[in-house]
Amino acid sequence: MYLEIHPDTARKRGIGDGDRVRIKSAVGSIEAIARYAPGTRPDTVVLPMEHGHWAWGRWAKGRLPGHSGEVTANQSDPISGLANYYTGMVTVEKA
């Protein structure tokens, strides 16, 4: 799994393009590979929603564990009632 992060934001945290990072929220933490993404807002990080996994064994060899859902609160939008999986506060640090 990878994490898209603005290059300036990453450098301020000592994170290089391709470094392993730990993403933490009030819900949990996961690890990913940092990818510089200049088009990402400096106050925002992007995790792919559907590319994580929980599988182990030969098919998961060399992959990092986790899924973006492990750091995203399970809540609904207060107006529409739809799933609200697109926002949350996290911290990112070099692993």
Side-chain angles (χ1 to χ4, degrees), residues 55-62:
W56 297 104
R58 66 183 182 154
W59 303 114
K61 196 173 215 166

Side-chain angles (χ1 to χ4, degrees), residues 1 4 11 15 17 31 33-36 41 52 54 58 68 81 90:
M1 172 163 39
E4 293 180 354
R11 288 186 198 108
I15 299 168
D17 191 36
E31 291 188 3
I33 302 298
R35 298 279 170 96
Y36 284 179
R41 289 175 45 129
W54 291 276
R58 66 183 182 154
S68 58
V90 298

Side-chain angles (χ1 to χ4, degrees), residues 14-64:
I15 299 168
D17 191 36
D19 282 353
R20 190 179 198 139
V21 294
R22 184 171 299 108
I23 304 128
K24 293 191 232 177
S25 74
V27 178
S29 74
I30 57 174
E31 291 188 3
I33 302 298
R35 298 279 170 96
Y36 284 179
T40 301
R41 289 175 45 129
D43 63 348
T44 302
V45 294
V46 179
L47 282 169
M49 183 67 167
E50 301 298 331
H51 301 288
H53 66 92
W54 291 276
W56 297 104
R58 66 183 182 154
W59 303 114
K61 196 173 215 166
R63 293 186 184 180
L64 295 173

Side-chain angles (χ1 to χ4, degrees), residues 80-93:
S80 68
L82 297 172
N84 187 17
Y85 298 129
Y86 308 109
T87 185
M89 296 203 51
V90 298
T91 59
V92 178
E93 61 189 25

